[in-house]
Amino acid sequence: MMKTSKLTLLVFAMFVTFGLQAQQKIALVIHGGAGTIKKENMSDEREKAYEEKLTEALNAGYAILEDGGSSLEAIQEAIMIMENSELFNAGKGAVFTNEEKNELDAAVMTGKDRNAGAIAGVTNVKNPILAAIAVMNNSPHVMMAGGGAEQFAEEQGLEIVAPSYFYTEDRHKQIERLKNTEKQKLDHDGAQGTNNAQRFYDEKFGTVGAVAVDKEGNITAGTSTGGMTNKRYGRVGDVPIIGSGTYADNETCGVSATGHGEYFIRSVVAYDIAALMKYKGMSLEDAANEVVNNKLKAMGGDGGVIALDKQGNITMPFNTSGMYRGYIKEKGKPFVGIYQD
């Protein structure tokens, strides 16, 4: 009886262990920028376009996770879908600098080993997130910038395009309005309607990002951006700065940020959230809220973050009137949000 009892207990323990492993939750959270995004300034058609593109990115990334793919593969797919859309300030929809160029930044970090890669100021790489991943996987470096990053991307076999690929009429109109001023916008402004009374400025931070946890419990975070409209003098924001706009650690969380990059750099926003969890024992939600709505806001920094932990918990705090965002934890049930409420 004793042997049978021990055997039964052993089998039960193995079953429980296997069951817990099988129940590892998969999840994906994305953003497409935060800022002055108000419903009264949004046409029904444009709102639908954002919702559909965010949903497409969520479903595509989640399908990879569901099939046993890695969190890196999932965030790559989700971000590329947004990079290939003119709706977001990343890839195809990137804003113009004062010199009427499109300069792109991107970063990625894997929580399993805290490996990371980033690129800054590239002008001819179709999908900057792929260049960041290539830096992480195929070089001894963490960050590459400018011409060197472009040369590396080409040597890696990534798709190189003419700079004109990134030209969009809406973005060009923005730089024409701002070029002879000292004003810089942290994303794009746009016009709706046919007269000045109907004009509005959609001042949002159009960085895109994604964070995922896969069936192995590994977290990956990635971010991509076109930077600041009318920026000058080689400005680089928080996106490619590991720990500021992008961070991942399996033991705490993964974070992708969108906002006024200078403040996010000075506050080391992404890492600070992970540090509060690690050293103060704060929950994911409490840590992210403390950084975004208290610390960052006190400095004057606007924006938000998306974050998740290895249990699949998700939080998406922002201190602006809106943030394009969404998450998915179950097939066929994506959530997409735009406004504060």
Side-chain angles (χ1 to χ4, degrees):
M1 288 296 293
M2 182 62 70
K3 289 183 179 179
T4 302
S5 178
K6 286 183 177 180
L7 179 61
T8 301
L9 289 172
L10 178 61
V11 171
F12 178 74
M14 291 175 64
F15 176 81
V16 170
T17 300
F18 176 78
L20 289 173
Q21 291 175 341
Q23 291 175 10
Q24 169 63 49
K25 294 180 180 179
I26 58 174
L28 170 68
V29 58
I30 66 175
H31 72 76
T36 308
I37 308 168
K38 298 181 178 180
K39 191 171 182 62
E40 58 264 32
N41 293 335
M42 182 81 71
S43 68
D44 292 341
E45 181 181 15
R46 195 164 182 82
E47 182 179 276
K48 182 180 179 183
Y50 276 110
E51 290 174 346
E52 288 179 347
K53 189 57 64 174
L54 291 169
T55 300
E56 178 187 347
L58 286 169
N59 286 335
Y62 191 81
I64 291 173
L65 295 173
E66 193 174 41
D67 287 343
S70 69
S71 54
L72 174 60
E73 293 170 317
I75 66 101
Q76 173 185 308
E77 182 67 18
I79 290 174
M80 284 179 63
I81 286 172
M82 292 186 283
E83 285 181 336
N84 292 339
S85 169
E86 294 185 12
L87 293 172
F88 306 100
N89 177 19
K92 177 63 176 174
V95 298
F96 284 90
T97 68
N98 179 261
E99 296 178 326
E100 296 194 21
K101 294 180 179 180
N102 306 102
E103 295 180 351
L104 314 171
D105 307 332
V108 65
M109 187 169 186
T110 52
K112 181 179 181 179
D113 51 11
R114 285 184 287 176
N115 199 8
I119 53 97
V122 300
T123 61
N124 63 0
V125 181
K126 182 181 180 182
N127 291 107
I129 192 63
L130 294 182
I133 292 171
V135 171
M136 177 178 72
N137 288 337
N138 303 325
S139 85
H141 309 304
V142 171
M143 183 187 293
M144 294 186 187
E150 292 172 351
Q151 180 180 340
F152 176 77
E154 187 169 5
E155 290 173 354
Q156 291 296 306
L158 301 185
E159 186 171 357
I160 303 300
V161 296
S164 59
Y165 164 81
F166 301 103
Y167 178 94
T168 59
E169 191 63 28
D170 285 346
R171 299 301 197 199
H172 194 253
K173 287 179 180 177
Q174 293 161 18
I175 192 60
E176 286 183 330
R177 286 194 290 271
L178 291 177
K179 188 172 181 181
N180 294 321
T181 74
E182 290 301 314
K183 189 172 183 180
Q184 298 174 334
K185 284 190 179 295
L186 295 167
D187 182 19
H188 61 276
D189 61 5
Q192 179 173 284
T194 58
N195 57 54
N196 289 335
Q198 292 175 303
R199 172 171 285 187
F200 74 98
Y201 290 97
D202 177 17
E203 296 176 339
K204 71 180 185 62
F205 317 107
T207 301
V208 306
V211 188
V213 59
D214 57 33
K215 290 183 177 180
E216 300 299 319
N218 291 322
I219 298 171
T220 302
T223 318
S224 181
T225 188
M228 177 186 289
T229 303
N230 203 33
K231 68 179 180 180
R232 306 185 189 193
Y233 315 129
R235 181 259 186 187
V236 175
D238 64 302
V239 165
I241 309 298
I242 301 302
S244 293
T246 309
Y247 191 75
D249 183 350
N250 280 3
E251 296 307 309
T252 51
C253 64
V255 180
S256 175
T258 169
H260 193 151
E262 280 68 19
Y263 290 95
F264 280 66
I265 293 171
R266 290 160 57 194
S267 300
V268 201
V269 163
Y271 175 73
D272 197 21
I273 293 170
L276 288 174
M277 294 176 68
K278 183 174 183 177
Y279 299 116
K280 296 192 72 173
M282 295 177 70
S283 69
L284 175 73
E285 183 176 6
D286 288 346
N289 184 67
E290 169 66 17
V291 172
V292 173
N293 289 312
N294 292 330
K295 289 185 174 184
L296 188 63
K297 199 169 184 179
M299 289 182 67
D302 293 332
V305 304
I306 54 170
L308 60 69
D309 61 23
K310 61 184 177 183
Q311 283 78 41
N313 296 311
I314 287 171
T315 189
M316 304 180 291
F318 54 98
N319 59 31
T320 54
S321 61
M323 181 169 79
Y324 297 108
R325 64 199 186 277
Y327 67 83
I328 183 167
K329 294 184 175 184
E330 186 177 347
K331 183 178 180 180
K333 294 184 178 181
F335 164 84
V336 170
I338 298 177
Y339 312 108
Q340 183 66 252
D341 54 359

